[in-house]
Amino acid sequence: MSNIYKALQERILVLDGAMGTMLQAYKFSEEDFRGERFKDYPTPLQGNNDLLSITQPEAIKTIHAKYFEAGADIVETNTFSGTTIAMADYQMEDLVYELNYQSAKIAKEVANEFTAKEPYKPRFVAGSIGPTNRTASMSPDVNDPGYRAVTFDELRIAYKQQAEALLDGGVDILLVETVFDTLNAKAALFAIEQVKEERKIEVPVMLSGTITDASGRTLSGQTAEAFLISVSHIPLLSVGFNCALGANLLQPHLEAIANKTEFAISAHPNAGLPNAFGEYDETPEEMGEQIEEYLKKNLINIIGGCCGTSPEHIKVIADIAKNYKPRAHPSIPSQREGKYSTL
């Protein structure tokens, strides 16, 4: 755990890019998703990317390695939809522990290989915890605004199961990401605190929200600053934003929080906005120029890419990040009682 905090003091850390973008390039068929083990499964499985950690583990391993080779310090596990709530779409709730455990194990194996080769640059694994496909703050039924498709407790239970499996698989960090509903995120954070208390461990936790449109708010209606305030009671490694927007459009929201917290700040924006075909056109060089503005303004400690980004994008970003110092004063755990203080 101390290694990640030490690395944060020394340099801007680089997160990986998009897993989904890389998997799409494989053009896996329904049969590829199923593999031998799930060939007779009763529901369609194509699109269940998390399942590929079991049925196509070499592809997942290769993607992690490509991002580390490109300069990433941290890779995310292939577990964005790894909760019973999200896996209900595929009737695979019973597989959740295995999916998370295997994804973490694969990523950690690759990280250890790279750390062994370059001990001066330790590599880390962040357990990706996505937002699920339900929201605790809003009704999915316009005719019944009081209705909720999920409860806080259902989310807490699902997130706790995911966090336990990721930790058992060897992750170094837990990353609650693409937060569109802060109440969902609070359920995840509460679940993680429960796991830490039960296991008597400390785990660095990254939290990354998503600003969904030009109004500068999350889907549940919070501004960047309001989002920060509502989660600042939790001891976090970092807080920041990912997805939805390109790097230039994300910058004002990073500026809004950079001077208001002692947590590290993270960002992993998309490669611009999607075109009419849902594809991302921003080149690594274009994205790099925009991200360099973050660094010039001393806004961030951790930088990576989300939708549409590739190892080529991460290489450009990593090369630029080497030339800048990290934003000052991220939180580090004090030696007293496991509490958090600042440098």
Side-chain angles (χ1 to χ4, degrees):
M1 174 175 169
S2 59
N3 281 349
I4 185 78
Y5 288 93
K6 184 171 181 287
L8 264 178
Q9 306 305 315
E10 296 170 349
R11 64 187 189 276
I12 292 169
L13 297 186
V14 178
L15 194 64
D16 62 2
M19 174 62 75
T21 298
M22 296 294 286
L23 288 173
Q24 284 172 9
Y26 280 87
K27 294 184 167 56
F28 285 132
S29 66
E30 177 72 29
E31 289 68 31
D32 295 325
F33 273 86
R34 288 174 176 271
E36 185 62 27
R37 179 173 164 186
F38 301 102
K39 65 179 183 180
D40 297 322
Y41 210 76
T43 58
L45 299 179
Q46 192 168 14
N48 185 357
N49 285 350
D50 294 27
L51 181 62
L52 295 172
S53 294
I54 294 174
T55 57
Q56 302 291 339
E58 285 305 311
I60 304 301
K61 196 170 185 178
T62 298
I63 291 167
H64 289 321
K66 284 182 177 178
Y67 279 123
F68 279 137
E69 284 166 0
D73 298 282
I74 308 168
V75 297
E76 299 174 50
T77 55
N78 179 39
T79 55
F80 187 80
S81 300
T83 58
T84 50
I85 292 168
M87 280 294 143
D89 288 353
Y90 300 98
Q91 297 176 24
M92 286 194 153
E93 297 95 323
D94 292 346
L95 276 171
V96 160
Y97 183 91
E98 185 182 355
L99 287 170
N100 284 279
Y101 179 84
Q102 290 299 336
S103 294
K105 191 163 166 284
I106 290 167
K108 190 62 179 174
E109 283 172 7
V110 183
N112 287 342
E113 287 170 14
F114 276 83
T115 299
K117 284 190 288 189
E118 301 173 324
Y120 58 89
K121 184 180 176 172
R123 305 309 214 281
F124 304 97
V125 175
S128 172
I129 298 175
T132 82
N133 48 7
R134 298 185 193 173
T135 169
S137 291
M138 293 168 285
S139 172
D141 183 355
V142 292
N143 298 312
D144 187 1
Y147 172 71
R148 297 292 182 270
V150 70
T151 67
F152 183 92
D153 210 43
E154 287 168 342
L155 287 165
R156 177 192 63 80
I157 292 166
Y159 284 130
K160 187 166 184 275
Q161 184 181 7
Q162 183 175 24
E164 288 170 338
L166 288 168
L167 290 169
D168 289 349
V171 302
D172 306 292
I173 306 158
L174 292 173
L175 168 57
V176 180
E177 65 167 314
T178 322
V179 174
F180 59 80
D181 183 344
T182 309
L183 193 55
N184 285 40
K186 286 190 172 190
L189 295 171
F190 185 70
I192 291 167
E193 290 302 304
Q194 280 190 308
V195 174
K196 286 162 62 177
E197 188 174 334
E198 288 173 7
R199 299 190 176 196
K200 296 179 171 50
I201 57 171
E202 282 299 328
V203 182
V205 179
M206 296 174 65
L207 180 66
S208 184
T210 187
I211 302 293
T212 52
D213 56 38
S215 70
R217 294 175 182 268
T218 64
L219 192 64
S220 56
Q222 287 187 308
T223 61
E225 188 176 353
F227 172 70
L228 171 66
I229 291 167
S230 64
V231 298
S232 288
H233 61 293
I234 297 286
L236 298 171
L237 173 74
S238 68
V239 65
F241 297 101
N242 73 288
C243 204
L245 303 175
N248 59 337
L249 295 174
L250 195 60
Q251 184 172 319
H253 309 300
L254 296 171
E255 291 172 351
I257 65 170
N259 296 321
K260 296 184 175 72
T261 182
E262 292 169 340
F263 299 142
I265 299 285
S266 73
H268 50 296
N270 291 349
L273 294 175
N275 61 27
F277 301 101
E279 296 168 347
Y280 295 84
D281 299 323
E282 204 160 83
T283 66
E285 292 71 28
E286 289 167 340
M287 192 173 179
E289 282 178 22
Q290 294 171 33
I291 281 173
E292 191 160 15
E293 294 302 312
Y294 298 0
L295 309 180
K296 288 176 182 175
K297 294 191 173 186
N298 197 31
L299 296 178
I300 55 168
N301 305 92
I302 302 171
I303 185 68
C306 202
C307 303
T309 58
S310 65
E312 289 74 26
H313 290 83
I314 297 306
K315 184 177 189 319
V316 168
I317 291 167
D319 287 344
I320 293 169
K322 287 175 192 169
N323 302 321
Y324 292 86
K325 290 182 179 178
R327 171 182 157 276
H329 305 305
S331 303
I332 61 169
S334 78
Q335 299 305 307
R336 301 187 310 277
E337 303 169 349
K339 300 296 182 185
Y340 282 59
S341 67
T342 57
L343 277 179

